[in-house]
Amino acid sequence: MRRLLFVLISVSAGCAPWAPAPPAHAVHVFAPAGIESAGSHVPVLYVDEERALYFPDGVGGGGVRHPVVPSPSELVALGRRGDIVIVSLRPSSAPTPTAGP
């Protein structure tokens, strides 16, 4: 028992506390209330720093899903819809958006 305790103390002394680095990006998901009941065919808008992709047939359910690259005016219209999930990827240092009126 002493040998095992000695080994455990030796190993734990060699392990310095490790703090993981903060993530480089934060993921924000905006989903309408009750959207879970719609299943995997809910339209999804994915937005990051460089692009936006719209999946009109959802992203789950097994089949091949082809994204659409929306134009700026289509992005505005999609942002106003209340029946889609919006996934936003932004740098962790960027401020979090607040809900509008």
Side-chain angles (χ1 to χ4, degrees), residues 23-28 30 48-49 88-98:
H25 291 85
V27 177
H28 301 279
F30 305 94
D48 67 15
E49 295 174 341
S88 172
L89 182 69
R90 69 185 64 219
S92 291
S93 60
T96 303
T98 56

Side-chain angles (χ1 to χ4, degrees), residues 46-71:
Y46 170 84
V47 182
D48 67 15
E49 295 174 341
E50 300 174 3
R51 65 182 172 181
L53 299 173
Y54 177 56
F55 297 86
D57 297 323
V59 293
V64 177
R65 305 287 188 234
H66 297 286
V68 176
V69 178
S71 68

Side-chain angles (χ1 to χ4, degrees), residues 68-97:
V68 176
V69 178
S71 68
S73 61
E74 290 173 326
L75 274 175
V76 172
L78 288 170
R80 292 181 179 157
R81 286 180 55 178
D83 64 337
I84 66 173
V85 173
I86 300 174
V87 179
S88 172
L89 182 69
R90 69 185 64 219
S92 291
S93 60
T96 303

Side-chain angles (χ1 to χ4, degrees), residues 1-21:
M1 185 70 168
R2 281 188 177 170
R3 288 184 188 171
L4 180 60
L5 186 59
F6 176 73
V7 170
L8 288 174
I9 291 172
S10 300
V11 170
S12 64
C15 298
W18 177 72

